Amino acid sequence: MLEFLAAAIKIEDDEKGRWINVLFVFGGGLAGWVAGLLVIPLPGLPAKLTDLGAIFTALVGGVIGTKLSDALSKKIESGLDKSFVGTSVLFLSSFLLGGLSTVIWRL
């Protein structure tokens, strides 16, 4: 995780951009952690909470995923810059790290 934070600081030249990248790293890690919890619930968890997790996952995958897809296609059409690609890679890497570590700990 420290490598992600170091990369987040080095991608941007200005102070505001550095903090935004750090927030994306933490946001991606937390989102991955939540996704990992929803994928592998605890054995004693009531079925109702698992159903709520499935509904939340469908909401995120459907509505928010569509909005992100539209925004990403507009950004690609206007041209990608180094900071956008770097921030996106940091978010996705943090998300995968958070999700996989949670799944591994639960198994």
Side-chain angles (χ1 to χ4, degrees):
M1 190 67 164
L2 291 176
E3 293 86 7
F4 291 136
L5 292 175
I9 291 171
K10 291 182 181 181
I11 286 176
E12 289 288 337
D13 294 332
D14 63 334
E15 192 69 26
K16 183 180 178 184
R18 289 178 183 164
W19 285 110
I20 289 173
N21 284 342
V22 169
L23 287 175
F24 270 97
V25 167
F26 282 120
L30 287 173
W33 176 68
V34 169
L37 291 175
L38 291 175
V39 169
I40 308 286
L42 288 173
L45 194 65
K48 187 173 238 178
L49 289 178
T50 306
D51 293 340
L52 287 174
I55 291 170
F56 177 74
T57 304
L59 174 72
V60 169
V63 175
I64 297 174
T66 303
K67 297 290 183 187
L68 287 175
S69 174
D70 292 342
L72 183 61
S73 57
K74 287 180 185 176
K75 182 68 175 175
I76 290 173
E77 289 172 2
S78 67
L80 297 176
D81 56 343
K82 179 182 113 176
S83 63
F84 176 78
V85 172
T87 303
S88 300
V89 168
L90 282 172
F91 179 81
L92 290 174
S93 300
S94 299
F95 180 84
L96 289 175
L97 181 66
L100 287 176
S101 61
T102 305
V103 168
I104 290 170
W105 289 330
R106 288 285 177 103
L107 293 177

